[in-house]
Amino acid sequence: MLDIASKIEEGAITFLKAEYLYLSIFVIVLAIFIFFFVEPVFGTFYTTLAFLVGGFTSILCGYIGMRVAVHTNVRVTKLCTTDIASGFVIAFRGGEVLGFILVGIAILVFIILIEASMAVYAPKTLADYTAFFDLMAGYGLGGSFVALFGRVGGGIYTKAADVGSDLAGKVVEGLPEDSPKNPGVVADNVGDNVGDIAGMGADLFGSLAESTTAALVVGGYSAELIGGGASMYFPLLITSSGIIVSFLTQFVATNMMKATYENVESVLKWQLIISTVLMTAAIIPICLYVLPESFTYGNLNTTVTTNWDAFGCICVGLWAGLIIGWITEVYTSNTYSPVRELTDSCRLGAAPNIILGLALGYMSTVVPIVCIAVTIYLSFHWAYMYGIALAALGMLSTLPIALSIDGYGPIADNAGGIAEMTGLDPSVRRNTDKLDAAGNTTAAIGKGFAIGSACLVALALFGAFVAKTGQTTVNILAPLQFAGLILGAMIPYAFSALTMSAVGDAAQDMIKEIQRQFSDPEIKAGTKDPDYETCIAISTKASLKKMAAPGLLIILTPIVIGLLFGPNAVAGLLAGEIASGVQIAFSFSNTGGAWDNCKKYIEAGNDDTEGQAFAKHTPAHQAAVVGDTVGDPLKDTSGPSINIVMKLSSILSLVFGNFFRDYHLLSS
Amino acid sequence: MLDIASKIEEGAITFLKAEYLYLSIFVIVLAIFIFFFVEPVFGTFYTTLAFLVGGFTSILCGYIGMRVAVHTNVRVTKLCTTDIASGFVIAFRGGEVLGFILVGIAILVFIILIEASMAVYAPKTLADYTAFFDLMAGYGLGGSFVALFGRVGGGIYTKAADVGSDLAGKVVEGLPEDSPKNPGVVADNVGDNVGDIAGMGADLFGSLAESTTAALVVGGYSAELIGGGASMYFPLLITSSGIIVSFLTQFVATNMMKATYENVESVLKWQLIISTVLMTAAIIPICLYVLPESFTYGNLNTTVTTNWDAFGCICVGLWAGLIIGWITEVYTSNTYSPVRELTDSCRLGAAPNIILGLALGYMSTVVPIVCIAVTIYLSFHWAYMYGIALAALGMLSTLPIALSIDGYGPIADNAGGIAEMTGLDPSVRRNTDKLDAAGNTTAAIGKGFAIGSACLVALALFGAFVAKTGQTTVNILAPLQFAGLILGAMIPYAFSALTMSAVGDAAQDMIKEIQRQFSDPEIKAGTKDPDYETCIAISTKASLKKMAAPGLLIILTPIVIGLLFGPNAVAGLLAGEIASGVQIAFSFSNTGGAWDNCKKYIEAGNDDTEGQAFAKHTPAHQAAVVGDTVGDPLKDTSGPSINIVMKLSSILSLVFGNFFRDYHLLSS
């Protein structure tokens, strides 16, 4: 067990080191670009500083998360040899370390950055504060910039390994999942840590940094918020109180509810409900005692917001998050009819499974989008763009718990992989599989949260961008804006195409390598250890090489359009990207989740809706495996990266806004 | 041959009669609704009249197209027993009857309607004319309303039959395509006529009626256009001159170029190029002698448009259409690398084929969207919303030729089906297959045209809607508009989900019926004729039942949102629908086309890029069949219907615009 665990650890560390080396270079290049092009517009250096701090903090968070995960996985396997409850507690605590550290560091570093910069900048008037918080937007940009490459690179890594080893090992050779005979199996387990842990950590770090940024930038126009001392820090206080609420909540999970084989999933889900309820109560005193009774937004907008309006915005975001999570579960868990019907269709072959799976994902966008539309309408109505940022912060306020659950999943998955690879008793694998299955459902819920919050964050940043560039309205009935809108709506498609074909191509390389190794009869018979390292190297190389094109697409599009046509065209572009991106993100994530659970349901030998039992190695099972494999890049590479696409484009435009306004080449 | 042909004819007539009965009821219900809710706002009855005329003209066009197609198919089979050239000419002439009749009737009926109504309405001032052309928008609504149900109903019919008989007959029983032993085969051939001929005819009739409507409505604000006699009819003159140009072009195809086995595809493609070049020349005199030297848009907009600007708008639309068609070919034809690489991936299984096929479709949106964005920007810049309508009319000006080619495809497909079902010599099937393959590629090109023009039409109607409801700007930075935008972007997804699962569910019924029939050993052995009629009845019933939900979604969404929140929210909704719908339409259509050709390439026994030959009944072929089957509902049901979704929502909002403005329940 220690041997396998150290192989996974080494693989993860090697990949992240290589990735972070590339990333550090990218961060420094963009920092130089910002310093020479954006800062001269302001006449300062704070945006560059904030960008560097944000970028490297994000790297640090991803790295810590990965280290904790590879430290915990083998311990969970060990504990599952005795009982599932202690295995669950340790896996969950591993996730908690990620969740609490990430949110804690994000807040702490940001406060230090603000206080230190403010000491030098010394803002006095409202205009000073407005300008100052504008400069701090770099922090969010740094976080999201790293997150993009982390998510894309990690996503390509994990799915190239997963798809490749599934196709070559499971489908062709008939090996079980995580069989040690499969040369790609270690790469697959490494992938869980670098993609699902480090990548997702960076993603949500970015969301938190950016929604805080957006709230600070819009709040920076309000004399009442700036003048009242603590109220300036109101956005950070929401997150901070979320840490305390999450701490109380996790106590229930790990100390008061005992996980058994049956209730693992419900223990996790209760976490989300308890934290949402507690959080609703916790924000009342902060709204009442920290915020002024009412406030306005200077020359930005005439809306008057009361502290109860602000409470409403946070609440609507918080509860919309819970509803989105719940509906995600309905569409992806095999206890409800959508996945059950999808599973039935596998009896008729792979094609009906794919058709109905895609349809399921498209349909699953309806309720979340209605929730988001209502959230946008209400929070905008109550508190203008500040309200959107508050709604995003509300949705993210229970982040330590959400991240704990998200982190728990890959740890449990890895624990199962280690159990299988080391040939432990099937009862151990049964325990780890149960932990893993619970993690899969809650991971889908977590993705729902992440997408919903990303959409709100992107919108809040869009609002901040528009405010900053002095556009009072964004009229889509103008040529530049409408052309931008339709072009922006295309970006998530082009991005998905690039990431999906990256996974497809890398998986093909992986399959060829595994087939090459299987041509050695000793490896095929299992008497000789396969060469795991070559497979790890293939995934590493492919992901580092293939993350450049989608990354550059996202970064260069707003910059090129902004430089050519100015902020009006960029405003259209952003609106299009958000409106179309959020649909793709939800549908990809839910389609993939549904296919995954559909396959698991068949593998567990459950009955179809007409009462006939499914079995492994039947045509229905093969059809389900095709769906699961197609779903892998959708749910773990392209889908989650779209979150970052929306956010990054918006914050990039925010940071470069004045530059676009003053220096674009063509007039409208 | 006559026996089989009459079975197809009967099936098609039975279905269309049933469908048109339903449709007539729907048309009359909506007409009553318009008469009692919309007309009182105007105090007239012209919109209801125009709506009824448009609706029933569309039904007539679809019916004529179908009758011509079922008349021609068997004649093509007969001629292919002698040589391919005469088969080609007759198949193409069959398409021509559809193309020329449809465009001719659309224009003629519209002119009669306008002249007759004007005689009664007797407009005198510019305001009278403005109001009058507003009323005529009903014509476009009628056309698109029928088209929606025609496309959706026909699409479900054809693909339920196709997918069902492929899965049950080809995949499970190993029968060849169009085997007379397959009980679903006649339904499949009927489907080509009701879906691809009648459905597509109605779709493009709608596009033409609506782009003309949009141009007339916007032009109705211009004193110079209205005052100058013929210039009022300028939009109709573009289409009329397209008829003459198309007539000259088809002469080249049927008389000057002789189709051989090798050059069928290029004869068809030359049609598009020749007609585009001739059309460019033909519009110069019309622009110069019909339009005033410059004109403006009354109180709508201050843009001054010269006749050369108008020429520019038409040209940019016309040529953008050709580029979109060309790029569609690059992504869907197996002579270029995208499909060749996709074909290679089939060797690794169905999952890589699906992943890379979806990615191909997403990537294929890039160039068409850039073309559309440029078209929007330039034509808007030159001639405001009138320019967008002119660009749409430009793209549609070669419609008689485009429709001839589109109609040719299903006729050739049917001819092949009849050859196979009647057991003719394989050399005949070889001829018909070649005609069919050429039709498939050009059908994909035709779809590209249809999508591009639908997007422009929808945008032009959107502009007319905004003008009519008195919104001078559409500020998406307002709560209602942004919530509407994100909600609108969701609609095409929900719609696709409904249509795809309709096909999936209906195909399952079809599979069960075919399996039931195959349980009779005589039918399986081919000694007893299968019961084709039951399969036809399943497709008919499923499509009539399942077209209601997606249809109502599209019709009720703008009406409900408009009645609740007024025109601001509807403006956001439309922008979102167009921006996201056009991406889905392109990607679905191209993904499906690529998978289809990928399968055909393998079946023809061609080599992969490494020089190894493909063969039928190999795992690679099976993987390609899965892709083709998944692609069927994407490219022939959901994708093409999205065109109509964009257009119908916009024209519905245009017709109901004043009603929304005056009577919505909640204020913003």
Side-chain angles (χ1 to χ4, degrees):
Chain A
M1 282 163 59
L2 285 174
D3 179 47
I4 291 285
S6 71
K7 280 212 175 76
I8 296 175
E9 189 169 1
E10 272 166 36
I13 293 174
T14 310
F15 171 70
L16 283 190
K17 277 194 181 151
E19 186 185 52
Y20 289 154
L21 179 68
Y22 275 80
L23 266 181
S24 303
I25 297 169
F26 290 168
V27 167
I28 289 165
V29 169
L30 188 57
I32 293 171
F33 193 76
I34 294 173
F35 187 75
F36 284 104
F37 290 92
V38 175
E39 298 284 17
V41 181
F42 299 123
T44 66
F45 61 92
Y46 296 98
T47 300
T48 314
L49 174 71
F51 171 73
L52 286 170
V53 172
F56 286 107
T57 309
S58 176
I59 288 180
L60 180 70
C61 289
Y63 188 74
I64 293 175
M66 181 278 293
R67 286 311 288 259
V68 172
V70 296
H71 181 82
T72 316
N73 54 12
V74 62
R75 286 162 175 78
V76 175
T77 316
K78 178 71 180 65
L79 288 166
C80 279
T81 56
T82 49
D83 69 315
I84 193 168
S86 38
F88 170 79
V89 169
I90 292 302
F92 190 71
R93 289 228 168 110
E96 278 181 55
V97 177
L98 168 69
F100 283 89
I101 279 195
L102 192 144
V103 177
I105 290 182
I107 292 290
L108 183 67
V109 172
F110 204 12
I111 291 180
I112 293 173
L113 176 73
I114 293 174
E115 286 292 329
S117 307
M118 214 188 285
V120 184
Y121 190 89
K124 285 179 192 70
T125 63
L126 176 60
D128 287 350
Y129 276 100
T130 306
F132 176 72
F133 283 117
D134 240 18
L135 299 171
M136 290 296 108
Y139 186 69
L141 177 60
S144 246
F145 182 77
V146 166
L148 178 72
F149 290 99
R151 257 298 194 198
V152 174
I156 295 172
Y157 186 106
T158 177
K159 291 302 132 178
D162 192 358
V163 172
S165 53
D166 275 10
L167 283 175
K170 281 165 68 180
V171 178
V172 179
E173 304 290 333
L175 297 175
E177 175 98 35
D178 290 327
S179 162
K181 288 190 203 170
N182 191 334
V185 70
V186 175
D188 186 3
N189 277 281
V190 169
D192 291 339
N193 293 301
V194 300
D196 298 349
I197 296 271
M200 189 198 50
D203 180 0
L204 287 166
F205 171 84
S207 278
L208 188 58
E210 284 168 325
S211 51
T212 312
T213 299
L216 289 173
V217 170
V218 182
Y221 286 81
S222 167
E224 296 89 345
L225 287 179
I226 297 301
S231 62
M232 185 177 84
Y233 279 126
F234 180 68
L236 292 152
L237 282 167
I238 300 170
T239 311
S240 311
S241 56
I243 299 180
I244 299 167
V245 164
S246 299
F247 189 76
L248 295 175
T249 310
Q250 67 80 31
F251 188 77
V252 177
T254 51
N255 295 66
M256 288 168 64
M257 292 173 86
K258 191 174 154 57
T260 62
Y261 188 78
E262 283 69 34
N263 76 351
V264 175
E265 202 171 307
S266 68
V267 169
L268 288 173
K269 275 190 286 182
W270 271 105
Q271 296 281 301
L272 293 171
I273 298 168
I274 295 169
S275 60
T276 303
V277 173
L278 289 180
M279 193 67 211
T280 310
I283 44 179
I284 297 179
I286 318 178
C287 288
L288 289 185
Y289 298 111
V290 174
L291 283 181
E293 261 183 47
S294 72
F295 53 95
T296 54
Y297 307 93
N299 57 0
L300 208 57
N301 188 278
T302 54
T303 305
V304 178
T305 303
T306 67
N307 46 12
W308 282 109
D309 287 339
F311 171 75
C313 296
I314 300 171
C315 266
V316 79
L318 182 61
W319 284 89
L322 196 69
I323 297 172
I324 291 173
W326 174 73
I327 204 77
T328 307
E329 199 204 340
V330 170
Y331 276 100
T332 57
S333 156
N334 52 33
T335 49
Y336 299 90
S337 69
V339 174
R340 297 292 289 276
E341 283 166 18
L342 186 63
T343 312
D344 278 3
S345 79
C346 289
R347 288 218 189 274
L348 300 170
N353 184 30
I354 302 285
I355 294 174
L356 294 176
L358 290 173
L360 178 149
Y362 297 148
M363 194 44 99
S364 74
T365 59
V366 176
V367 176
I369 292 298
V370 170
C371 283
I372 290 177
V374 169
T375 305
I376 290 171
Y377 177 69
L378 289 178
S379 53
F380 205 123
H381 184 75
W382 285 327
Y384 183 60
M385 280 293 169
Y386 195 63
I388 307 268
L390 291 185
L393 284 167
M395 203 179 270
L396 290 168
S397 61
T398 55
L399 192 57
I401 280 297
L403 268 174
S404 304
I405 296 174
D406 277 346
Y408 154 91
I411 293 174
D413 192 350
N414 254 245
I418 294 173
E420 182 75 29
M421 281 187 269
T422 50
L424 293 182
D425 191 78
S427 68
V428 182
R429 178 77 203 199
R430 190 167 162 267
N431 281 339
T432 56
D433 272 359
K434 188 70 196 178
L435 294 180
D436 184 19
N440 267 322
T441 304
T442 49
I445 298 178
K447 271 177 203 151
F449 264 124
I451 299 165
S453 60
C455 176
L456 292 178
V457 168
L459 183 55
L461 292 167
F462 173 65
F465 161 73
V466 173
K468 177 171 171 173
T469 52
Q471 307 178 62
T472 49
T473 59
V474 177
N475 178 22
I476 37 171
L477 205 66
L480 273 180
Q481 281 88 324
F482 205 96
L485 183 77
I486 207 159
L487 212 59
M490 178 267 283
I491 301 295
Y493 285 85
F495 177 84
S496 303
L498 288 173
T499 47
M500 283 165 71
S501 44
V503 171
D505 293 345
Q508 292 192 15
D509 293 345
M510 185 68 83
I511 292 170
K512 282 174 191 156
E513 168 61 21
I514 295 175
Q515 284 172 340
R516 187 193 65 75
Q517 293 201 25
F518 276 146
S519 66
D520 179 340
E522 283 187 83
I523 291 182
K524 194 161 176 177
T527 50
K528 182 174 153 190
D529 268 359
D531 176 9
Y532 300 125
E533 283 72 23
T534 316
C535 291
I536 293 180
I538 287 175
S539 259
T540 304
K541 204 177 134 202
S543 65
L544 294 179
K545 197 175 124 198
K546 304 251 175 188
M547 71 183 185
L552 287 177
L553 172 75
I554 300 312
I555 291 160
L556 291 183
T557 308
I559 293 183
V560 169
I561 297 284
L563 279 180
L564 286 176
F565 302 104
N568 285 327
V570 174
L573 189 82
L574 294 180
E577 276 194 50
I578 298 171
S580 121
V582 65
Q583 326 284 342
I584 296 190
F586 276 122
S587 63
F588 278 15
S589 154
N590 293 343
T591 292
W595 276 329
D596 192 350
N597 280 327
C598 166
K599 185 199 69 170
K600 287 213 164 71
Y601 186 82
I602 290 180
E603 286 181 348
N606 291 303
D607 290 349
D608 65 14
T609 53
E610 286 167 7
Q612 284 188 290
F614 285 110
K616 274 195 182 183
H617 309 301
T618 54
H621 180 226
Q622 280 165 11
V625 170
V626 172
D628 180 42
T629 312
V630 173
D632 272 339
L634 296 184
K635 78 179 198 302
D636 293 320
T637 311
S638 304
S641 309
I642 298 280
N643 292 348
I644 309 178
V645 168
M646 297 190 279
K647 293 181 293 180
L648 183 61
S649 304
S650 304
I651 194 147
L652 202 62
S653 309
L654 175 62
V655 168
F656 282 82
N658 289 341
F659 182 52
F660 295 159
R661 188 193 55 204
D662 297 344
Y663 296 104
H664 65 275
L665 297 174
L666 306 169
S667 75
S668 57
Chain B
M1 280 162 61
L2 285 173
D3 180 46
I4 291 284
S6 73
K7 280 211 175 77
I8 295 174
E9 188 169 0
E10 274 167 35
I13 293 174
T14 310
F15 171 70
L16 282 190
K17 277 196 179 149
E19 187 185 53
Y20 289 155
L21 180 68
Y22 274 81
L23 266 181
S24 303
I25 297 169
F26 290 168
V27 168
I28 290 166
V29 169
L30 188 57
I32 293 172
F33 193 77
I34 294 172
F35 187 75
F36 285 104
F37 290 92
V38 176
E39 298 283 19
V41 180
F42 300 121
T44 67
F45 61 90
Y46 296 97
T47 301
T48 314
L49 174 70
F51 172 73
L52 286 170
V53 172
F56 286 108
T57 309
S58 175
I59 287 179
L60 180 70
C61 289
Y63 188 74
I64 293 175
M66 182 278 295
R67 287 310 288 259
V68 172
V70 297
H71 181 81
T72 315
N73 53 13
V74 63
R75 286 162 176 77
V76 176
T77 317
K78 177 72 179 63
L79 287 166
C80 278
T81 57
T82 49
D83 69 315
I84 193 168
S86 39
F88 170 80
V89 169
I90 293 301
F92 189 72
R93 288 228 168 110
E96 279 181 54
V97 178
L98 168 68
F100 284 88
I101 280 196
L102 191 144
V103 178
I105 291 184
I107 292 289
L108 183 67
V109 172
F110 204 11
I111 290 180
I112 295 173
L113 176 73
I114 292 174
E115 286 291 330
S117 306
M118 215 187 284
V120 184
Y121 190 88
K124 285 177 193 71
T125 64
L126 176 61
D128 287 350
Y129 276 99
T130 306
F132 174 73
F133 284 116
D134 240 18
L135 299 171
M136 289 297 108
Y139 186 69
L141 177 60
S144 247
F145 182 78
V146 166
L148 177 73
F149 290 100
R151 257 298 193 198
V152 173
I156 295 173
Y157 185 104
T158 176
K159 291 302 133 178
D162 192 357
V163 172
S165 52
D166 275 10
L167 282 174
K170 282 165 68 180
V171 179
V172 179
E173 305 291 333
L175 298 175
E177 176 96 35
D178 290 328
S179 162
K181 288 190 201 170
N182 192 333
V185 69
V186 175
D188 186 2
N189 277 282
V190 170
D192 291 338
N193 294 300
V194 300
D196 298 349
I197 297 270
M200 189 198 49
D203 180 359
L204 286 167
F205 172 83
S207 278
L208 188 58
E210 285 168 325
S211 49
T212 313
T213 299
L216 289 173
V217 169
V218 182
Y221 286 81
S222 167
E224 295 90 344
L225 287 178
I226 296 303
S231 63
M232 184 176 86
Y233 278 125
F234 181 67
L236 292 152
L237 282 168
I238 300 171
T239 310
S240 311
S241 56
I243 298 180
I244 299 165
V245 163
S246 300
F247 189 77
L248 294 175
T249 310
Q250 66 81 32
F251 188 77
V252 177
T254 51
N255 294 67
M256 288 168 64
M257 294 174 86
K258 190 172 156 61
T260 62
Y261 188 77
E262 282 70 34
N263 76 350
V264 175
E265 204 172 306
S266 67
V267 170
L268 288 173
K269 275 190 285 182
W270 270 106
Q271 296 281 300
L272 294 171
I273 297 167
I274 295 168
S275 61
T276 303
V277 173
L278 290 179
M279 193 66 211
T280 309
I283 45 179
I284 297 177
I286 317 177
C287 287
L288 288 185
Y289 297 111
V290 174
L291 282 182
E293 261 184 47
S294 72
F295 52 96
T296 55
Y297 307 93
N299 57 0
L300 208 57
N301 189 278
T302 54
T303 304
V304 178
T305 304
T306 66
N307 46 11
W308 281 109
D309 288 338
F311 171 74
C313 296
I314 301 170
C315 265
V316 79
L318 181 61
W319 285 90
L322 196 68
I323 297 173
I324 291 173
W326 175 75
I327 204 76
T328 307
E329 198 203 341
V330 169
Y331 277 101
T332 57
S333 155
N334 52 33
T335 49
Y336 298 90
S337 69
V339 173
R340 297 292 288 275
E341 283 166 19
L342 186 63
T343 312
D344 278 3
S345 79
C346 290
R347 288 219 190 272
L348 300 170
N353 184 29
I354 302 286
I355 294 173
L356 294 176
L358 291 173
L360 178 148
Y362 296 149
M363 192 45 98
S364 74
T365 60
V366 175
V367 177
I369 293 296
V370 170
C371 283
I372 291 178
V374 170
T375 305
I376 291 171
Y377 177 69
L378 289 177
S379 53
F380 206 123
H381 183 75
W382 285 327
Y384 181 60
M385 279 293 170
Y386 195 64
I388 306 270
L390 291 185
L393 283 168
M395 203 179 270
L396 289 167
S397 60
T398 55
L399 194 57
I401 281 295
L403 268 173
S404 304
I405 296 174
D406 278 347
Y408 154 91
I411 293 174
D413 192 351
N414 254 245
I418 294 171
E420 181 75 29
M421 281 187 271
T422 49
L424 293 183
D425 192 76
S427 68
V428 181
R429 177 78 203 199
R430 191 167 160 268
N431 282 341
T432 57
D433 272 359
K434 188 69 196 178
L435 293 180
D436 184 19
N440 266 322
T441 304
T442 48
I445 298 178
K447 271 176 203 151
F449 265 125
I451 298 166
S453 60
C455 176
L456 292 177
V457 169
L459 184 54
L461 292 167
F462 173 66
F465 160 74
V466 172
K468 177 172 172 174
T469 53
Q471 306 177 63
T472 49
T473 59
V474 177
N475 177 23
I476 37 170
L477 205 67
L480 273 180
Q481 281 87 325
F482 206 97
L485 183 77
I486 207 158
L487 212 59
M490 180 267 285
I491 301 295
Y493 285 86
F495 177 84
S496 302
L498 288 172
T499 47
M500 284 165 71
S501 45
V503 171
D505 293 346
Q508 292 192 12
D509 293 346
M510 185 68 81
I511 291 170
K512 282 174 191 154
E513 169 62 19
I514 294 175
Q515 283 173 340
R516 187 192 67 75
Q517 293 199 28
F518 276 146
S519 67
D520 179 340
E522 284 186 84
I523 292 182
K524 194 161 176 177
T527 51
K528 182 175 152 190
D529 268 358
D531 176 7
Y532 301 125
E533 283 72 22
T534 316
C535 291
I536 292 180
I538 287 175
S539 259
T540 304
K541 205 177 133 201
S543 66
L544 294 178
K545 197 174 124 198
K546 304 251 174 186
M547 72 183 184
L552 288 176
L553 171 75
I554 299 311
I555 291 158
L556 291 183
T557 307
I559 293 184
V560 168
I561 297 284
L563 280 181
L564 286 176
F565 302 105
N568 285 327
V570 174
L573 189 81
L574 295 180
E577 276 192 55
I578 298 170
S580 121
V582 66
Q583 325 285 341
I584 296 190
F586 276 122
S587 63
F588 277 16
S589 154
N590 293 343
T591 291
W595 276 329
D596 191 349
N597 279 327
C598 167
K599 185 198 70 171
K600 288 211 165 71
Y601 187 81
I602 289 180
E603 285 180 349
N606 290 303
D607 290 349
D608 64 15
T609 52
E610 286 166 9
Q612 285 188 289
F614 286 110
K616 274 195 181 182
H617 309 301
T618 54
H621 180 227
Q622 280 166 9
V625 170
V626 172
D628 179 42
T629 312
V630 174
D632 272 339
L634 296 184
K635 77 179 196 304
D636 292 322
T637 312
S638 304
S641 310
I642 299 280
N643 291 349
I644 310 176
V645 167
M646 297 189 280
K647 293 180 292 179
L648 183 60
S649 303
S650 304
I651 194 149
L652 202 62
S653 308
L654 174 63
V655 169
F656 282 83
N658 289 341
F659 182 52
F660 296 158
R661 188 193 56 204
D662 298 345
Y663 295 105
H664 66 273
L665 298 174
L666 307 170
S667 75
S668 58

